[in-house]
Amino acid sequence: MNILSTKNVIIVLLLSLFWILACGSSGDEDKSSSAEVAEERHPGQKVYNNYCITCHGYNGTMGANGAHNLKESTLSLDERIEVITNGRNTMTAFGKVISEDQIADVAQYIESLRG
């Protein structure tokens, strides 16, 4: 009977620990405030994070799904706006997904990734 009680106590403790970890603070409060500051410096960063980061990565070099390395891109601002608007190769066209202003903002943000 003692072993059964010990097992029950261990199970309850493990479930409690799991619940605390699952419901505890993830520290997102600190991350969001620093992300908001970055967005103020680069209005296109939020758009980039929502639509581009999956393939291009945080700093533009990930290259998933054939995405070009944005740090090495030689496209002009107008060319970047064209690619973002109409897509290219496997890249989705975003002209009907986000506004022209958002496209211009993300195109300018990409320039900041190049250094």
Side-chain angles (χ1 to χ4, degrees):
M1 192 77 162
N2 245 351
I3 294 174
L4 185 57
S5 296
T6 303
K7 283 184 181 179
N8 288 341
V9 169
I10 291 172
I11 289 171
V12 168
L13 288 174
L14 288 174
L15 288 173
S16 298
L17 179 62
F18 175 78
W19 182 78
I20 290 169
L21 291 174
C23 297
S25 174
S26 64
D28 287 341
E29 300 82 16
D30 295 335
K31 292 178 187 174
S32 65
S33 63
S34 63
E36 289 169 5
V37 169
E39 287 169 18
E40 291 174 10
R41 281 187 251 146
H42 296 289
Q45 184 176 9
K46 182 176 181 181
V47 177
Y48 180 88
N49 289 345
N50 286 335
Y51 296 101
C52 312
I53 203 167
T54 304
C55 296
H56 289 286
Y58 177 76
N59 64 0
T61 62
M62 190 162 93
N65 300 316
H68 290 276
N69 183 332
L70 299 177
K71 283 192 175 237
E72 297 175 352
S73 175
T74 58
L75 296 178
S76 68
L77 179 62
D78 289 337
E79 290 170 326
R80 284 194 305 275
I81 289 171
E82 172 73 20
V83 170
I84 295 165
T85 302
N86 299 313
R88 183 168 75 180
N89 299 327
T90 59
M91 181 175 157
T92 301
F94 288 96
K96 295 183 180 178
V97 178
I98 58 178
S99 72
E100 288 181 19
D101 288 341
Q102 288 174 309
I103 290 171
D105 287 344
V106 76
Q108 290 170 353
Y109 174 71
I110 290 168
E111 180 67 25
S112 75
L113 295 177
R114 295 196 316 191

